[in-house]
Amino acid sequence: MTTTYDFEDTPSNYDDVQRQGGQDAVYDPNFVPDSVKSFVVHMYRHIREKNVYEIHQMCETSFQTLSERLFKDTPWPSVEAIAPYVDNDHVFCLLYREMWFRHLYARLSPTLKQRIDSYDNYCSLFQVVLHGVVNMQLPNQWLWDMVDEFVYQFQSFCQYRAKMKNKTEQEIALLKQNDKAWNVYGVLNFLQALVEKSTIIQILEQEKEGLEQFTATDGYDYSGGSNVLKVLGYFSMVGLLRVHCLLGDYHTGLKWLQPIDITQQGVYTSVIGCHIATIYHYGFANLMLRRYVDAVREFNKILLYIYKTKQYHEKSPQYEQLLKKNEQMYALLAVCLSLCPQTKLVDELVNSQLREKYGEKMMRMQRCDDEAFGIYDELFSYACPKFITPSAPSFEEPLVNYNQDAYRLQLKMFLYEVKQQQLLSGVRTFLKVYSSISLAKLSNYMEVDEPTLRTILLTYKHKTHSVGSDGKVISNADIDFYINNDMIYVVESKPAKRYGDLFLRQIAKLEGVINDMDRIKLE
C-alpha cells in the first residue's frame, strides 16, 4: 500500500516568505520545513527497509512535488541541516546530496564551487559503492539518474570551463586549484570501475547460458542482497557510450555497449530515459561510422515505441527531454535516409511522421547543391550531442572561448562525408534505371572517361560499405553491382517482406468495421 505524505505541515508563511526579496534574501540552508523533515525520515526508513516501490514513489512524486511547492527557485536545505533527522547516516547523506545537486542543476545555475562539490560527492558515493559494503535496494530509475546526471554534469563542466573569456580571477584561481575536478580520466575511470567491479559483463554472458536471472528480475535482488553495484555497472556501460560520443570516439563507445543486446528487451528498456539515451547515442555513433542501416533500424524501433507510449509519460519529470530527443532522432533519421535511402526499413507510422516533419527538406537534400548542404548542416547542428573538449584550458592571456571547437570539428567531418556522398548520387541515379550497362555507355552518360568511372564506382562501393562492430564488412546500399568483362550488373537488395504487419493492420481494420456494424441498429 502506498504511503500518502502530508505536505501541508509546512509553516503557513513559508510560501509567502519565499516570494519576498529574491533567492539571496530568502534561502536559509539550515531551515528545514516540517514536510522536508517528514520526507527525509520516511525516505531513510524506506531505504533501510529496502522498500523499492516506496523509494521510487518518493523520488518521482514526493521530491518533485516538494521542489515545485517550496524550492522552485532555491536549493533544498543543506545536508548538515537534515543529517540529525537521519541519524547522521553517511550513505544517506551522500544520496541526499546527489538529489540536492541534481535539483540545483535542474532549477538554478550552479556556481563553480558547487560544480566541484558535486563532483566530490559523486566520488565519495561511488567509492562507497565500489569499496564499501552497500546493503541497499534502490529503484532502477534513481540508479540511472545517478549515472545520467554524472555524465551530464561532466559535460556541463567541460562546456563551462571552455568559456574562458569572461571568467573572474577568483574563478580562474579555483579552476587551477581544482584541476582534478571533472577530469576526463577520473570520469572514465569511475564508470569503468563500476562496470568491472560489478562483473556485469560476465553476468550478462552467464544469462545467455541460463545461469543468471539479471534481466528477468530487472536487476533487482530478491534474495535479500543489493542491486546497487550491479545496476550501476550496467547503466555505466550506457554512460561510457555517451561520454565517448561526446568525445567523438564512436568505436570505443559502441564497444562498451556490446554486452547489452539492444535487439532485445533488457534492463535498459525498464527506464524510459535510459532506453532513449541508449538508442540515440547508438544511432548517432553508427551514423558517424557510416553504418546507416543499423542506425535507421534502431531509430525506427525507438520512434515507433515513443509514438505508441508517450502519453503514458506526460506526468514524468523527463517528459520534455523525451519529446526533445524524439524530435532530434527524427532529424537524424532524415539525415540517414537521405544518405542511404533505405525507406523499406521504416515503419509506415514513423515514415508518415517523418514526411510530415522533414518531407520537404529531404527532397531538397537529394540535390547536389549548396542549399542541400545547408540543410545537412542545420539538421546535424540541431540533433547532435553537445560535444566537449576535455582538456584543461590555457590560462595564458588573452583568454579565449573554445567551447565550440569540438562541435565544429565533428560538423566539419560530417559535412566532408556528405560532400563525398553527394558526388556519388549521379552514379546511383543511373544504376537504379539499368539492370546491366556497359562501362563505355555509362561513362558516356556521365561525361567522364572509363578510368575515372572505375574510380567513381570503387568509391561508391567503399562509401556504401562499412565495417561492423564484429569486424565484418556490412552493406548499406539499396543498390549494389558487380563488374564482369566491362559490363556492370546491378543487384537491387530486396528485404524480406513483413507479412505479419500487414495481417495485424488488416485485423485491426476488420475489428473496427465489426464494431461499427454492431453499433448499427437494424429496424
Side-chain angles (χ1 to χ4, degrees), residues 51 160 188 379 479:
N51 191 335
Y160 166 85
L188 289 172
L379 292 186
I479 299 285

Side-chain angles (χ1 to χ4, degrees), residues 75-261:
W76 272 58
S78 68
V79 69
E80 292 78 13
I82 64 94
Y85 305 109
V86 293
D87 303 331
N88 290 292
D89 186 280
H90 177 60
V91 175
F92 183 87
C93 288
L94 291 174
L95 292 170
Y96 177 81
R97 273 170 68 82
E98 193 275 330
M99 296 176 78
W100 190 95
F101 282 115
R102 187 144 35 99
H103 167 78
L104 182 79
Y105 270 81
R107 301 266 180 172
L108 306 159
S109 184
T111 64
L112 175 55
K113 177 74 168 63
Q114 287 168 333
R115 291 172 188 270
I116 293 166
D117 288 346
S118 182
Y119 177 70
D120 290 340
N121 188 67
Y122 273 117
C123 290
S124 301
L125 182 57
F126 290 155
Q127 290 284 6
V128 167
V129 172
L130 289 166
H131 306 296
V133 178
V134 178
N135 190 24
M136 295 185 294
Q137 289 256 52
L138 295 181
N140 285 349
Q141 179 70 57
W142 193 357
L143 295 169
W144 162 250
D145 286 342
M146 281 184 205
V147 174
D148 184 47
E149 188 71 12
F150 181 62
V151 176
Y152 166 71
Q153 290 186 20
F154 164 63
Q155 173 191 322
S156 174
F157 183 84
C158 289
Q159 295 282 355
Y160 166 85
R161 183 178 58 186
K163 297 174 185 174
M164 290 297 294
K165 228 173 188 177
N166 299 318
K167 290 277 186 287
T168 63
E169 286 183 16
Q170 290 88 343
E171 285 176 315
I172 291 170
L174 203 54
L175 280 172
K176 286 181 180 177
Q177 188 183 334
N178 295 277
D179 57 341
K180 298 291 184 207
W182 294 112
N183 177 287
V184 64
Y185 297 114
V187 170
L188 289 172
N189 284 342
F190 269 121
L191 293 172
Q192 289 174 22
L194 287 166
V195 174
E196 288 163 14
K197 187 73 186 283
S198 66
T199 67
I200 188 64
I201 295 173
Q202 293 87 329
I203 289 169
L204 292 174
E205 281 297 320
Q206 289 176 332
E207 188 173 47
K208 291 174 187 174
E209 298 165 16
L211 303 173
E212 280 283 350
Q213 288 286 304
F214 181 77
T215 304
T217 62
D218 276 339
Y220 293 111
D221 190 321
Y222 292 111
S223 58
S226 171
N227 70 327
V228 174
L229 179 57
K230 279 193 294 186
V231 177
L232 276 178
Y234 181 91
F235 287 142
S236 290
M237 292 191 285
V238 179
L240 284 161
L241 165 67
R242 184 174 163 192
V243 171
H244 285 293
C245 280
L246 295 174
L247 298 171
D249 185 358
Y250 307 110
H251 279 285
T252 306
L254 290 174
K255 194 175 174 184
W256 275 109
L257 193 69
Q258 266 184 330
I260 300 176
D261 183 1

Side-chain angles (χ1 to χ4, degrees), residues 424-435 437 441-442 444-447 479 490:
L424 301 172
S425 60
V427 180
R428 188 177 171 281
T429 305
F430 283 113
L431 293 178
K432 276 193 79 72
V433 177
Y434 292 92
S435 58
I437 185 173
K441 194 172 182 181
L442 184 56
N444 186 39
Y445 284 153
M446 294 188 66
E447 300 176 353
I479 299 285
V490 179

Side-chain angles (χ1 to χ4, degrees), residues 445-462:
Y445 284 153
M446 294 188 66
E447 300 176 353
V448 294
D449 56 34
E450 280 193 37
T452 304
L453 177 61
R454 283 181 182 273
T455 305
I456 291 170
L457 290 170
L458 278 170
T459 307
Y460 179 85
K461 274 277 189 189
H462 169 64

Side-chain angles (χ1 to χ4, degrees), residues 277-482:
T278 303
I279 303 303
Y280 167 78
H281 289 97
Y282 173 86
F284 185 82
N286 278 302
L287 164 61
M288 295 300 280
L289 294 172
R290 297 206 324 273
R291 300 174 189 168
Y292 304 116
V293 170
D294 287 343
V296 168
R297 192 177 285 119
E298 293 306 321
F299 281 145
N300 172 63
K301 275 162 54 181
I302 190 72
L303 290 169
L304 186 61
Y305 175 77
I306 293 171
Y307 181 82
K308 290 178 176 178
T309 62
K310 66 182 177 187
Q311 68 268 25
Y312 304 121
H313 301 282
E314 285 178 1
K315 293 181 180 178
S316 165
Q318 291 91 21
Y319 186 63
E320 283 185 21
Q321 184 68 9
L322 183 153
L323 293 182
K324 182 186 175 185
K325 278 284 173 273
N326 184 59
E327 293 304 312
Q328 286 180 316
M329 286 190 286
Y330 270 112
L332 291 174
L333 182 60
V335 169
C336 288
L337 291 174
S338 298
L339 293 171
C340 170
Q342 292 277 20
T343 48
K344 292 170 185 174
L345 296 173
V346 181
D347 188 272
E348 283 180 20
L349 279 171
V350 175
N351 199 36
S352 166
Q353 292 283 306
L354 182 67
R355 296 294 158 192
E356 197 178 299
K357 295 173 190 290
Y358 293 110
E360 187 189 337
K361 286 185 177 179
M362 287 176 73
M363 292 287 288
R364 282 151 54 193
M365 285 159 81
Q366 294 303 314
R367 303 176 199 152
C368 303
D369 55 18
D370 289 341
E371 186 191 13
F373 205 58
I375 296 171
Y376 276 110
D377 185 331
E378 175 197 331
L379 292 186
F380 181 88
S381 300
Y382 167 67
C384 70
K386 290 181 179 175
F387 299 107
I388 54 173
T389 303
S391 55
S394 167
F395 295 106
E396 302 297 319
E397 297 285 351
L399 296 173
V400 293
N401 291 349
Y402 63 97
N403 56 306
Q404 292 291 310
D405 288 4
Y407 154 72
R408 289 195 194 102
L409 176 61
Q410 295 299 319
L411 177 63
K412 181 182 174 184
M413 287 169 57
F414 170 73
L415 293 179
Y416 180 67
E417 182 63 39
V418 169
K419 202 107 183 170
Q420 290 181 316
Q421 297 268 8
Q422 285 182 326
L423 296 172
L424 301 172
S425 60
V427 180
R428 188 177 171 281
T429 305
F430 283 113
L431 293 178
K432 276 193 79 72
V433 177
Y434 292 92
S435 58
S436 62
I437 185 173
S438 68
L439 281 168
K441 194 172 182 181
L442 184 56
S443 63
N444 186 39
Y445 284 153
M446 294 188 66
E447 300 176 353
V448 294
D449 56 34
E450 280 193 37
T452 304
L453 177 61
R454 283 181 182 273
T455 305
I456 291 170
L457 290 170
L458 278 170
T459 307
Y460 179 85
K461 274 277 189 189
H462 169 64
K463 289 297 178 187
T464 54
H465 289 74
S466 57
V467 180
S469 55
D470 55 1
K472 293 178 182 176
V473 175
I474 50 176
S475 172
N476 294 305
D478 59 334
I479 299 285
D480 209 348
F481 66 90
Y482 62 92

